[in-house]
Amino acid sequence: MGKSARVLGKEFGRTARDMNALLKEYGYLDGSPGAYGLTEKGQQYAKEQYHSRGTGGYAQYNPSWETRTWSEETVAALRADMEANPGGCDDAGSPAEEDALFGPEPIVDHSGSGGDDDPQLSWKELAIGGAVVVAILVAPHAKPFWNSKVKPVAKKMRDKLTKQESTEATES
């Protein structure tokens, strides 16, 4: 049976997070917290196993995860690496470490489109935008107003006009 980073950490007096950082420092792991992977050196001492609930449906209801277990020889190999190289492995100059030290390079748009020098919105565009906002705000009140005010008045006027036409038709 293998040991987890938490169990290894107890032997070194560290937490699981600190143990993963130590394993990365000495070249057993690669990546970042929450996304570590085994290096070639780490594959000699550990095994990763993929797990999935696999019940189907939406992804948020079906988590998947990997577990990593370290062999018994890992403690001896790591202690030997720590004694031989107290500062950890020196892989300076890798792109990942440069990004961590200096941050990513900014993206510069040289195409001429976009940016702070875009023209301001015209009055026409602002008026159309305002009309849309007013329409959205008025829409819930339009149908009740139509049914309670406009429709009854229109019906009364229609009834009056039909009465007048019918009286004029009978008189002539």
Side-chain angles (χ1 to χ4, degrees):
M1 185 172 129
K3 298 179 179 184
S4 66
R6 183 179 55 83
V7 174
L8 281 177
K10 285 184 180 179
E11 294 185 27
F12 286 88
R14 298 173 182 251
T15 64
R17 179 181 290 182
D18 292 339
M19 194 64 207
N20 281 328
L22 183 69
L23 289 166
K24 180 181 178 181
E25 184 178 337
Y26 284 96
Y28 292 86
L29 291 176
D30 188 29
S32 59
Y36 284 121
L38 292 172
T39 61
E40 289 182 29
K41 183 177 180 181
Q43 289 176 357
Q44 298 172 10
Y45 299 101
K47 292 183 182 177
E48 288 181 330
Q49 187 175 5
Y50 177 78
H51 302 276
S52 175
R53 188 174 296 161
T55 55
Y58 296 104
Q60 66 264 26
Y61 300 123
N62 298 299
S64 59
W65 64 97
E66 290 181 358
T67 56
R68 185 177 305 110
T69 54
W70 298 90
S71 66
E72 299 293 328
E73 296 86 30
T74 308
V75 174
L78 184 58
R79 287 193 195 274
D81 285 346
M82 289 172 71
E83 289 174 6
N85 191 2
C89 291
D90 189 21
D91 287 345
S94 71
E97 289 180 1
E98 286 180 11
D99 281 348
L101 289 174
F102 302 111
E105 292 183 21
I107 298 172
V108 179
D109 183 16
H110 296 289
S111 66
S113 62
D116 292 335
D117 57 347
D118 282 344
Q120 296 294 323
L121 293 175
S122 68
W123 286 105
K124 185 177 181 182
E125 292 168 336
L126 288 174
I128 291 171
V132 169
V133 169
V134 168
I136 290 171
L137 294 174
V138 170
H141 307 289
K143 190 171 183 179
F145 175 76
W146 179 265
N147 289 335
S148 65
K149 301 287 183 194
V150 176
K151 213 172 184 180
V153 171
K155 188 176 180 184
K156 286 180 185 178
M157 290 179 66
R158 186 186 67 201
D159 291 343
K160 282 184 185 180
L161 289 174
T162 54
K163 281 184 185 179
Q164 285 181 357
E165 287 179 6
S166 65
T167 57
E168 288 176 2
T170 55
E171 290 179 357
S172 46

